[in-house]
Structure formats: C-alpha cells, structure tokens
Amino acid sequence: MRKLTTLAKPVDMSKGFQDFFDTIGITGGGLVTKGIAAVIAVIALRMLLQLSGDPKGALKKGSMAVGTLFVAVVLAMYGDTLFSTVTEAKG
C-alpha cells in the first residue's frame, strides 16, 4: 500500500481576498503597485525594441527607455513603502 505525502497544509480561506493576500504575503495595494510596475517595464522594453537607426536619436530614446525601466524596478521594489506613506495620512 502506498503512503500519501501531504505537500501543503490546508489553509482556511473563509475571509476571501484578505486570506489570499495574507498567504502570498502582499496587500491589495502592493499587488496593484507591482502590476503598475510590470506595465511600465513592458512599455520600457517596447521602447528599447523600437530604437531607430540614427545614432543620436537611438542614444536619446535608449537612455529614456533605460530610465523608464529603472523607474519600474524601483517601483516594484519600494512602491508599497512609498505609497503606504500617502494612504496612512493622519488627520
């Protein structure tokens, strides 16, 4: 007879999205921030792929695309901390 191996413990998801975000370790705002960063990164990569043959124009557009990619990476890493200061304002 085979012995069954449990790969994961059961998790109570009766509270819906709150339980889901707790299991993945991210808040709803953090998920939105990561989504925005992913969209910005895709736009930056598209900008890099559409560089022209003109060296001066390509350098200008390429540096703008690299800067946009840098903003996307910073937003993905620190966006939840950055936006938490805005949403937790004291009245």
Side-chain angles (χ1 to χ4, degrees):
M1 181 178 251
R2 295 185 327 176
K3 180 183 176 190
L4 297 176
T5 304
T6 304
L7 297 177
K9 65 178 184 174
V11 178
D12 178 28
M13 292 283 186
S14 60
K15 293 182 185 173
F17 282 113
Q18 180 182 357
D19 288 331
F20 171 71
F21 290 136
D22 288 342
T23 58
I24 62 174
I26 196 168
T27 62
L31 189 63
V32 169
T33 305
K34 300 243 186 281
I36 292 170
V39 168
I40 293 173
V42 167
I43 291 170
L45 290 176
R46 185 171 180 255
M47 288 169 63
L48 279 172
L49 292 175
Q50 291 183 341
L51 294 179
S52 63
D54 175 36
K56 194 173 186 180
L59 184 63
K60 183 178 177 182
K61 288 182 180 180
S63 62
M64 203 176 336
V66 169
T68 306
L69 193 58
F70 177 74
V71 168
V73 169
V74 168
L75 186 63
M77 292 171 59
Y78 302 111
D80 53 344
T81 306
L82 176 72
F83 291 124
S84 70
T85 60
V86 174
T87 58
E88 295 176 8
K90 295 180 178 155

